[in-house]
Amino acid sequence: MGFYGKLLNKGGDVLNKYLKITLGVLGVILLGIGLLVVTFVLEMKPDKDEEDKIKIQAKQYLEDKFNDNFEIYDTLYDNMGNFGFEYAAQVRDKKNNTQFLVYYDDETKQMVDTYIADKWADDLETEIRPFIKGNFGETTDFHVFFNNDKIGQELGIDPVNPRSYKEFDVAPTIRITVPRKRRGGDEKILNEFISFLKSEDKLKHGSVIIEYIAENGVILDDEWGKEF
């Protein structure tokens, strides 16, 4: 074999060596990505044992604190860290259809529920629905929420005989989602809405936030609002 033949063979060996190394590195990377995907999928799936555990805990909690009008209908697994718990029992008041959560609170080291906060939110939504739909349009969506979802326990309210939010100095947030761009008359409507809440004795204090989002989820304008 001549000089050039040996050189070509040597070059081919080097090329094969680098090709093998490259393929090996790519294989390791792909394997790592695969493991990450599998881990992510597994973490997104709830643990059956943990679901059964929270159901048992919630059942005992309901027997101690509530009556037969309440039923567990599902569980919630917070795999994104949005709440202060990992697993919660989803409970329904069969009398008024209020849906709420029962879960173990790591801060207080005891079972808690969101019944009063969710019931009060439902009650206020019923009060303000005609005004919002009548002034912003039937397709307008809105939600009421209390920043403290354990407000019932902190105020010592009996869930079997819940009192009205109007009896307490509370300040919930009302978020209104309008499916269009902002208009010049929106601030006037908001001021009228706040006057309506206060004059009709529906809510003394709170916050109203308005956001503008198209049906496809695109944000149309900056959100804004007022406290009162």
Side-chain angles (χ1 to χ4, degrees), residues 97-109:
N97 207 38
T98 294
Q99 298 177 358
F100 61 102
L101 302 175
V102 173
Y103 62 92
Y104 181 80
D105 183 20
D106 288 328
E107 291 185 6
T108 61
K109 305 300 180 184

Side-chain angles (χ1 to χ4, degrees), residues 35-213:
L35 290 174
L36 287 174
V37 171
V38 171
T39 302
F40 177 76
V41 171
L42 291 176
E43 288 181 349
M44 294 294 286
K45 294 178 63 177
D47 186 295
K48 184 67 168 56
D49 291 338
E50 291 296 329
E51 287 184 319
D52 292 339
K53 178 182 176 181
I54 192 61
K55 282 183 178 179
I56 293 172
Q57 291 175 320
K59 184 175 183 294
Q60 184 61 53
Y61 179 81
L62 292 176
E63 290 177 356
D64 294 340
K65 304 287 185 180
F66 292 75
N67 57 27
D68 295 337
N69 290 331
F70 300 85
E71 62 178 358
I72 299 171
Y73 67 92
D74 206 347
T75 58
L76 176 64
Y77 171 46
D78 180 24
N79 51 23
M80 302 299 290
N82 295 322
F83 301 98
F85 58 81
E86 190 172 14
Y87 289 88
Q90 293 179 286
V91 185
R92 180 189 296 111
D93 184 340
K94 292 183 287 186
K95 189 175 181 180
N96 56 37
N97 207 38
T98 294
Q99 298 177 358
F100 61 102
L101 302 175
V102 173
Y103 62 92
Y104 181 80
D105 183 20
D106 288 328
E107 291 185 6
T108 61
K109 305 300 180 184
Q110 62 183 3
M111 297 294 291
V112 296
D113 68 85
T114 66
Y115 177 63
I116 296 300
D118 287 318
K119 184 182 185 304
W120 283 359
D122 289 347
D123 292 345
L124 182 53
E125 286 177 1
T126 300
E127 295 263 16
I128 65 179
R129 180 171 287 105
F131 186 99
I132 292 178
K133 296 292 185 178
N135 288 274
F136 286 104
E138 285 294 329
T139 56
T140 297
D141 196 13
F142 67 97
H143 297 283
V144 174
F145 59 91
F146 291 80
N147 293 328
N148 181 7
D149 63 1
K150 296 172 287 188
I151 193 171
Q153 284 96 322
E154 294 191 3
L155 294 175
I157 300 174
D158 181 0
V160 178
N161 299 293
R163 298 160 65 183
S164 171
Y165 66 88
K166 297 178 182 180
E167 300 177 43
F168 300 88
D169 186 20
V170 294
T173 298
I174 302 170
R175 177 173 285 274
I176 303 173
T177 303
V178 185
R180 58 165 172 77
K181 290 186 176 182
R182 182 172 178 174
R183 296 174 183 170
D186 286 351
E187 186 167 3
K188 180 175 180 292
I189 296 176
L190 177 57
N191 290 333
E192 291 175 349
F193 179 51
I194 293 175
S195 297
F196 161 76
L197 291 172
K198 299 175 73 173
S199 63
E200 295 291 329
D201 195 30
K202 297 185 183 301
L203 189 65
K204 296 177 181 178
H205 306 287
S207 301
V208 182
I209 300 173
I210 299 180
E211 59 182 358
Y212 303 88
I213 300 179

